[in-house]
Amino acid sequence: MKTIRIMSYNIGWLQGEGSEGVNFKKKSLLHFKSGISSVARTIIDNKIDLACLQEIDFDADKSHNIDQFQELKNKTNYFGEKLISWNIPYLPFPYFNHWKKVVSGGAILSRKKIKAISQHLFDAPTNMFFLKRLFYLKRYVQIIKIKFKGKNEYVFNLHLEAFDFNAKQEQLIFLQTLIKEFQPIAVCGDFNTLPQ
């Protein structure tokens, strides 16, 4: 492999509008199956070597309990590594149409074999209301190793804090230490922050 084509994509569990709860309307099983096919086609048609995905469901009531990771692996015939960052039996959100079981997180799909090196999960922000903290997803950094040009290289897939400035800052500082340690060829994901 002379070059490596990397895609980073927050798929919002393939819901589309309402993925964050606002204006949420339950979508059909066909909607999610169609979304999986569309993402798989995007990966294959663009000859993507590594696809770093965020907000992917592994088993969630809100997306008809489909393992989106396994479905994408099957459709692309890629290798993959996943990270579970949210695993709760019941989520009292959105307020008038609760999601039940949620198992989701991040995933990396690859044409070539990859190896999971480490997973770093961040706790919910400490100043968050305790009931919200109980149900809040964990932000993360996922690190994999891939052979590229005969060398072991590292790639990061991450989803950092969106709402709490102090937690976001702490996560970015920790990310800097990981970058210094692993010297990755790519840091992908949803930074939930401005470039500066």
Side-chain angles (χ1 to χ4, degrees):
M1 189 186 324
K2 291 183 181 175
T3 60
I4 188 165
R5 293 175 64 83
I6 300 175
M7 175 179 94
S8 182
Y9 189 6
N10 182 329
I11 65 171
W13 50 278
L14 301 173
Q15 168 71 17
E17 184 182 4
S19 68
E20 295 181 351
V22 180
N23 299 323
F24 172 73
K25 289 187 180 102
K26 184 90 171 173
K27 302 278 178 81
S28 69
L29 178 62
L30 181 62
H31 168 86
F32 289 99
K33 292 280 191 182
S34 173
I36 288 164
S37 294
S38 179
V39 172
R41 265 194 323 275
T42 299
I43 291 169
I44 292 165
D45 291 351
N46 289 284
K47 298 179 174 60
I48 300 300
D49 296 303
L50 272 178
C52 297
L53 307 172
Q54 306 85 46
E55 291 189 35
I56 182 169
D57 280 351
F58 308 118
D59 181 9
D61 168 69
K62 59 190 171 65
S63 56
H64 296 272
N65 301 96
I66 299 169
D67 186 335
Q68 296 175 340
F69 171 68
Q70 194 58 51
E71 293 272 332
L72 283 169
K73 274 182 67 180
N74 293 345
K75 285 192 177 294
T76 58
N77 202 27
Y78 276 30
F79 298 99
E81 291 290 343
K82 70 180 184 179
L83 172 147
I84 295 172
S85 64
W86 208 6
N87 188 354
I88 51 175
Y90 181 81
L91 180 65
F93 181 84
Y95 302 111
F96 301 109
N97 196 353
H98 294 175
W99 295 333
K100 296 174 184 78
K101 181 181 179 186
V102 176
V103 182
S104 68
I108 300 177
L109 298 173
S110 172
R111 277 185 201 252
K112 295 179 73 177
K113 280 189 179 178
I114 54 177
K115 182 178 179 187
I117 296 300
S118 62
Q119 302 178 341
H120 302 274
L121 295 170
F122 300 107
D123 289 328
T126 51
N127 61 351
M128 186 179 276
F129 180 59
F130 83 98
L131 273 178
K132 188 174 180 181
R133 285 188 93 228
L134 192 62
F135 295 101
Y136 197 66
L137 76 165
K138 293 188 181 301
R139 304 299 180 160
Y140 62 83
V141 179
Q142 176 185 21
I143 304 175
I144 60 102
K145 180 167 70 176
I146 186 169
K147 203 82 147 171
F148 179 58
K149 292 186 176 178
K151 280 176 57 186
N152 286 326
E153 298 286 3
Y154 300 95
V155 174
F156 291 9
N157 181 34
L158 55 82
H159 193 184
L160 300 184
E161 176 58 34
F163 308 108
D164 186 278
F165 178 79
N166 290 332
K168 186 184 302 196
Q169 202 167 33
E170 286 170 16
Q171 291 169 16
L172 285 167
I173 289 166
F174 182 69
L175 176 62
Q176 286 178 319
T177 65
L178 290 176
I179 289 170
K180 283 179 187 167
E181 180 182 348
F182 287 95
Q183 299 291 308
I185 56 169
V187 179
C188 308
D190 188 342
F191 288 79
N192 275 316
T193 192
L194 297 171
Q196 63 267 31

